[in-house]
Amino acid sequence: MNRIRKGDQVLVITGKNKGQRGDVLRVDGDRVFVSNVNLIKRHTKPNPQANQAGGIVEREASIHISNVQLFNPATNKGERVGIKTLEDKRKVRVFRSSGEVVDA
C-alpha cells in the first residue's frame, strides 16, 4: 500500500520547490507528479497528425516520493503517514502524529 496516492494534497519538504503545496496528479513508482510544482519548459515540435501545435509547453516534472509529505488540513502541516490494519482486516493510512485516519 502506497503512503501517497493520486488525488492527495502534499507538501514539498526539500529542494527548490520547498514549501509548495499541490495535488498529486499521478504516482509513477517512487516518483510523483504534483500540480503546479516543479514546472519545466518543454520545446515541442508541431505534430499535425495528433493536432498538436509546436512551441514551448510548461508542464510538471516528477519529484521523488521521499521529498513530499501528506498535508494534514487539521494541523495545516505536512505529516508522516503510517499504515494500520483495522479489526475488519482493512488497511488504512493514518497520520503518525495523531493516529487520525486519512482515508475513511
Side-chain angles (χ1 to χ4, degrees):
M1 172 181 256
N2 271 345
R3 288 167 176 19
I4 295 179
R5 297 182 189 158
K6 178 181 174 180
D8 286 343
Q9 192 169 42
V10 293
L11 180 73
V12 181
I13 56 173
T14 58
K16 66 177 183 180
N17 298 296
K18 181 178 179 177
Q20 290 185 358
R21 202 168 73 194
D23 294 325
V24 175
L25 300 173
R26 75 178 202 252
V27 179
D28 191 18
D30 61 350
R31 303 192 71 83
V32 291
F33 291 83
V34 183
S35 62
N36 297 322
V37 176
N38 198 21
L39 294 173
I40 58 167
K41 289 185 186 330
R42 176 81 189 220
H43 295 70
T44 58
K45 280 186 167 182
N47 187 350
Q49 290 154 342
N51 203 13
Q52 182 180 21
I56 301 172
V57 179
E58 200 168 34
R59 66 179 197 179
E60 293 89 3
S62 66
I63 304 174
H64 197 270
I65 205 162
S66 66
N67 295 337
V68 296
Q69 276 187 335
L70 197 62
F71 182 75
N72 187 352
T75 60
N76 223 21
K77 293 181 183 176
E79 294 190 9
R80 294 186 302 153
V81 178
I83 295 170
K84 187 177 181 182
T85 307
L86 299 177
E87 293 82 33
D88 59 347
K89 305 292 186 222
R90 250 185 340 138
K91 285 186 178 180
V92 291
R93 298 179 298 165
V94 294
F95 287 115
R96 291 256 177 96
S97 61
S98 62
E100 177 188 342
V101 177
V102 176
D103 29 31

